[in-house]
């Protein structure tokens, strides 16, 4: 210890030693520090819910998963605590999406983990321009494009395969089980994709209005047009000119519903819907799940499909 004044160091040294010992015992008891837990599970740190879900589904009983984004909170503006930074740096495996959460990007850059999954590297991001609707994105520069790749089940399946491969590298003894779990999840995502293809095939309308530009990949994949009030950041404020564009596009497209999301106030969507005499409904970007909710990625996506079908006037 570095002290400039002469003081009695013996009690301090004993106190520090005791504190160090207590911390070490606490770490061992909790089983959450380091690459593996006390019972041999891989400590996996996931940046936010969609990646947590993949880790839990693929890792099963062989992983302990920590989600950096608390349940029910919006991940875009996450600020990590010192404890969370330490968890990232010491994890057995880290799952994140570069460009979505800058503090996570910084912590990952300092991480000692050999096993890191960047979802954006597995499924390259596209730019979905607000003023152009969504008729297919253009490749983003670096990882600065639309991050919501998990809302396209086909892209999400690609990320799932990457997660499974990395967990197998981190824990070779259980590689066969990680592969089995990956295959099972990819099959479920394939069924989900088929449900969207069938459910959105014959619809009266193809355009939908949403409060947050999170559904560009979903729109691309299923031949729809997203008309977003806000950009990729759900907390941004649209300009009066943008609101005028939304109102005109909604009238031209014959939309019946303005969608808002579960974790952000519906105030803006309500205002736009009221101005146009439209209904409101939830279209969930699944950036997080409320604490205690029984919902999962798959159940929320099925509800999204049902709500889209109602709004678009799709055939039974």
């Amino acid at each position: 210890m570095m002290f400039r004044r002469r003081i009695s160091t013996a009690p301090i040294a004993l106190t520090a030693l005791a504190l160090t010992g207590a911390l070490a015992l606490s770490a061992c008891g909790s089983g959450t520090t380091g690459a593996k837990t006390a019972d041999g599970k891989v400590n996996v740190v996931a940046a936010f819910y969609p990646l947590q879900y993949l880790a839990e589904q693929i890792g099963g009983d062989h992983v302990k998963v920590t989600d950096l984004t608390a349940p029910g909170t919006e991940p875009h503006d996450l600020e990590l605590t010192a404890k969370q930074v330490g968890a990232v740096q010491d994890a057995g495996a880290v799952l994140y999406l570069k460009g979505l959460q800058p503090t996570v990007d910084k912590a990952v850059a300092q991480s000692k983990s050999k096993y890191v999954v960047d979802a954006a590297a597995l499924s390259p991001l596209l730019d979905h321009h607000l003023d152009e609707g969504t008729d297919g994105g253009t490749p983003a520069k670096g990882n600065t494009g639309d991050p919501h790749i998990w809302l396209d089940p086909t892209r999400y399946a690609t990320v799932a395969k990457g997660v499974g491969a990395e967990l197998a590298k981190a824990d070779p003894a259980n590689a066969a089980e990680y592969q089995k779990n990956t295959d099972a999840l990819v099959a479920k995502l394939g069924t989900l994709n088929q449900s969207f293809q069938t459910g959105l095939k014959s619809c009266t309308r193809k355009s939908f209005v949403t409060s947050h530009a999170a559904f560009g990949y979903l729109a691309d994949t299923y031949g729809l047009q997203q008309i977003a009030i806000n950009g990729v950041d759900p907390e941004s404020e649209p300009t009066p000119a943008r609101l005028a564009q939304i109102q005109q596009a909604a009238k031209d497209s014959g939309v019946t519903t303005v969608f808002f999301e579960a974790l952000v106030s519906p105030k803006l969507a309500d205002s736009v819907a009221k101005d146009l005499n439209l209904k409101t409904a939830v279209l969930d970007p699944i950036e997080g799940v409320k604490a205690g909710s029984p919902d999962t990625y798959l159940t929320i996506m099925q509800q999204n499909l049902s709500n889209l079908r109602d709004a678009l006037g799709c055939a039974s």
Side-chain angles (χ1 to χ4, degrees):
M1 291 180 290
M2 300 292 290
F3 292 94
R4 296 300 182 187
R5 292 180 295 139
R6 291 188 59 82
I7 59 176
S8 176
T9 60
I12 294 173
L14 289 172
T15 301
L17 182 61
L19 180 60
T20 300
L23 289 173
L25 287 172
S26 175
C28 291
S30 67
T32 59
T33 300
K36 287 198 173 184
T37 64
D39 57 357
K41 295 183 179 182
V42 179
N43 265 321
V44 179
V45 173
F48 62 114
Y49 173 74
L51 297 178
Q52 172 198 345
Y53 181 76
L54 292 184
E56 290 174 343
Q57 293 296 305
I58 295 170
D61 293 335
H62 300 298
V63 300
K64 177 177 176 57
V65 183
T66 299
D67 187 353
L68 296 176
T69 304
T73 61
E74 201 281 326
H76 287 264
D77 300 320
L78 175 69
E79 293 292 338
L80 296 182
T81 65
K83 181 178 180 181
Q84 288 177 313
V85 171
V88 173
Q89 292 176 348
D90 295 334
V94 180
L95 315 181
Y96 81 122
L97 197 158
K98 188 175 182 181
L100 177 63
Q101 298 163 300
T103 57
V104 176
D105 294 352
K106 184 176 180 181
V108 170
Q110 300 169 349
S111 176
K112 292 176 283 188
S113 177
K114 297 179 182 178
Y115 307 104
V116 177
V117 174
D118 173 12
L122 294 170
S123 182
L125 307 187
L126 300 176
D127 283 324
H128 290 120
H129 303 292
L130 267 182
D131 293 336
E132 297 173 5
T134 301
D135 296 313
T138 57
K141 296 179 180 179
N143 284 340
T144 60
D146 180 355
H148 302 90
I149 51 178
W150 60 91
L151 293 171
D152 172 359
T154 63
R155 286 176 173 267
Y156 197 44
T158 297
V159 178
K161 293 174 184 178
V163 170
E166 203 68 14
L167 289 179
K169 292 177 186 177
D171 184 20
N174 294 302
E177 191 160 350
Y178 294 138
Q179 184 63 58
K180 177 183 176 182
N181 292 345
T182 300
D183 292 343
L185 180 57
V186 168
K188 290 178 183 178
L189 293 174
T191 300
L192 178 65
N193 173 51
Q194 186 60 52
S195 294
F196 268 79
Q197 287 182 335
T198 302
L200 298 173
K201 185 176 182 180
S202 300
C203 302
T204 304
R205 293 168 290 278
K206 291 293 185 180
S207 298
F208 62 96
V209 175
T210 179
S211 61
H212 175 197
F215 300 93
Y217 296 106
L218 185 150
D220 288 351
T221 300
Y222 303 112
L224 306 178
Q225 183 185 38
Q226 170 185 243
I227 302 172
I229 299 172
N230 277 329
V232 170
D233 180 357
E235 300 295 344
S236 61
E237 289 292 333
T239 64
R242 180 61 190 164
L243 288 174
Q245 288 178 333
I246 294 296
Q247 291 176 348
Q248 190 59 54
K251 290 177 181 177
D252 293 344
S253 302
V255 300
T256 63
T257 307
V258 176
F259 287 110
F260 63 95
E261 59 186 86
L263 300 183
V264 177
S265 169
K267 186 176 179 180
L268 182 58
D270 286 341
S271 177
V272 172
K274 184 177 180 180
D275 288 343
L276 296 171
N277 196 29
L278 301 176
K279 299 182 295 183
T280 58
V282 172
L283 195 61
D284 197 333
I286 324 182
E287 293 176 341
V289 175
K290 292 181 179 179
S293 171
D295 286 323
T296 67
Y297 171 86
L298 289 174
T299 64
I300 296 172
M301 282 294 282
Q302 288 288 0
Q303 188 59 56
N304 280 346
L305 174 58
S306 178
N307 291 350
L308 274 171
R309 282 175 50 77
D310 288 345
L312 298 176
C314 301
S316 300

